[in-house]
Amino acid sequence: MLQISMVPGCLCGQIRREGPLGLSVSARGRREGARCPECRRRSTVVHGYYDRRPLDLPVVGRQVRLDLRIRRYACRNPDCPRQTFGEQLPTLIAPSAQRTNRLVKAQARIGIALGGSAGSRLAKQIAMPASGDTILRLVRRMPEPVMPAPTVIGVDDWAMKKRLRYGTIVVDLERHRPIDLLPDRTSETVSDWLGSRNGIEIVARDRSTEYRRGITTGAPNAVQVADRWHLLHNTRQMVERWTASAHSRLCRLPSLQNAETSGKGRTKAFPRTRSDTTNTIENRERRKVQYEDIRRRYLAGEKLKALSRSTGLARATVRKFALAENFP
Ligand SMILES: [Zn+2]
């Protein structure tokens, strides 16, 4: 018959109810004798006992607390400074811990999946209650997973506080996982990070000159490629700028109404309400005044950045107005 040890490394005794929803399981170490942690000499002389009451994994939906009877051994080595020592149960529980290793693992995994508060709510429902802070503490204590050294990485801006503070995120593009966050986005920081690692073969980046310099210095043998997102993003920006500046010329192109494709589908916008129409006209008038002001000042030699700051408009809007030959 298959026998499963309910408590690893221990012999179990009585199981009792503890409160309306709990159980307590009494247990003691299976092995007789232990090594002194100071002199490593083995002792089987029991000096006394003490109790530990750690929490364990739930059973049949009930919270479980172990009643562990721990032996205290006497060290018989006359040269050893330690006279007694408690037995350790490393497969079950860490020294001085309040919960068993397997409960720590389960609660930490809940924390990784859900975070502190939500993890705490779930843990309470499945009879292994812990506060959100405790769950986060257990997550932080977990050993970091060992990852193979990356060879293909991507670097990009990462906003610690949008528009104010930016760092650099480094992503392992083969495993699709972020592997580091750097405190800023200067070429020196990127160069130092790359210089401390071997085997980087390809680095994907945006078209920033800072990153280009950092990668060239830190990983001179790595191939630098522009990532797809930035290629599409820059293409869209260029098309948008060009169409805004050529808006009036595009408007003068022959109408498609007489073409063969006309007549199919809707050619006019849905009718607007009176208030919509008024709002649209007012907005358009207001934007036209802004456009004329920006266009005049831009042609007089003011910089886009200064125009954006003095008008309070977004840099992209200012650029669109400044470059457009007619009101877009
Ligand atoms: Zn000793």
Side-chain angles (χ1 to χ4, degrees):
M1 195 176 81
L2 177 66
Q3 285 195 330
I4 297 174
S5 169
M6 190 172 163
V7 181
C10 292
L11 295 169
C12 291
Q14 282 189 322
I15 300 176
R16 289 187 296 273
R17 278 176 185 274
E18 187 170 280
L21 296 170
L23 294 174
S24 83
V25 178
S26 57
R28 62 184 168 83
R30 190 185 289 273
R31 293 187 64 181
E32 297 282 342
R35 285 190 187 281
C36 168
E38 204 74 41
C39 65
R40 307 303 301 159
R41 181 181 284 192
R42 191 173 172 76
S43 170
T44 52
V45 182
V46 178
H47 173 79
Y49 296 90
Y50 63 96
D51 294 326
R52 289 179 71 180
R53 305 202 69 227
L55 289 169
D56 196 13
L57 287 179
V59 173
V60 290
R62 288 169 180 270
Q63 186 182 345
V64 171
R65 192 179 281 281
L66 299 180
D67 270 326
L68 286 177
R69 190 92 169 132
I70 304 289
R71 301 178 188 93
R72 181 171 285 284
Y73 290 103
C75 180
R76 289 302 192 200
N77 181 357
D79 300 329
C80 180
R82 191 183 275 262
Q83 296 191 335
T84 64
F85 61 92
E87 73 174 319
Q88 299 299 323
L89 302 167
T91 53
L92 178 67
I93 189 168
S96 310
Q98 300 293 313
R99 54 196 81 216
T100 58
N101 297 338
R102 55 190 181 180
L103 179 62
V104 167
K105 202 170 169 183
Q107 288 177 331
R109 288 201 181 282
I110 289 174
I112 288 171
L114 297 176
S117 303
S120 172
R121 288 196 293 275
L122 175 67
K124 190 177 174 189
Q125 294 297 319
I126 55 176
M128 47 173 98
S131 72
D133 286 343
T134 301
I135 286 183
L136 291 181
R137 196 176 65 244
L138 299 178
V139 169
R140 287 193 198 101
R141 277 192 204 155
M142 282 189 89
E144 290 201 8
V146 180
M147 301 286 290
T151 54
V152 183
I153 62 165
V155 292
D156 201 2
D157 298 348
W158 168 69
M160 282 178 254
K161 188 160 186 183
K162 206 167 180 183
R163 289 170 188 268
L164 293 177
R165 279 185 67 209
Y166 285 86
T168 299
I169 185 168
V170 186
V171 181
D172 182 338
L173 293 180
E174 287 175 299
R175 291 166 195 88
H176 306 283
R177 299 186 76 159
I179 47 176
D180 213 344
L181 295 172
L182 311 183
D184 56 43
R185 45 184 177 177
T186 60
S187 57
E188 290 78 22
T189 307
V190 175
S191 167
D192 290 348
W193 190 91
L194 289 168
S196 63
R197 281 160 183 79
N198 293 324
I200 304 277
E201 293 170 7
I202 299 173
V203 185
R205 60 166 173 86
D206 62 12
R207 293 165 63 223
S208 129
T209 49
E210 281 286 313
Y211 285 150
R212 187 185 64 197
R213 248 198 327 272
I215 297 163
T216 308
T217 326
N221 297 325
V223 178
Q224 299 184 35
V225 294
D227 66 53
R228 270 181 294 181
W229 188 88
H230 282 99
L231 281 178
L232 285 172
H233 181 62
N234 293 148
T235 308
R236 184 184 66 77
Q237 283 176 324
M238 292 312 295
V239 170
E240 207 171 74
R241 273 181 221 168
W242 182 83
T243 46
S245 66
H247 185 251
S248 61
R249 273 177 284 154
L250 292 172
C251 285
R252 286 199 293 272
L253 288 174
S255 163
L256 288 176
Q257 273 184 353
N258 296 328
E260 283 183 9
T261 51
S262 69
K264 289 178 186 172
R266 186 169 59 81
T267 53
K268 286 184 180 174
F270 287 112
R272 293 169 187 270
T273 63
R274 191 174 295 170
S275 61
D276 271 353
T277 312
T278 317
N279 277 341
T280 310
I281 292 169
E282 279 175 9
N283 283 342
R284 193 163 170 77
E285 285 304 316
R286 187 167 47 78
R287 286 170 67 78
K288 192 170 182 184
V289 172
Q290 286 173 334
Y291 160 74
E292 282 164 358
D293 178 42
I294 286 172
R295 180 76 178 158
R296 180 177 50 74
R297 288 164 65 182
Y298 177 70
L299 291 176
E302 273 194 60
K303 298 284 183 203
L304 293 177
K305 197 172 176 180
L307 283 168
S308 168
R309 200 173 296 150
S310 67
T311 56
L313 291 172
R315 194 87 63 85
T317 312
V318 170
R319 186 188 291 114
K320 188 168 78 175
F321 282 174
L323 299 180
E325 293 165 10
N326 294 84
F327 179 47

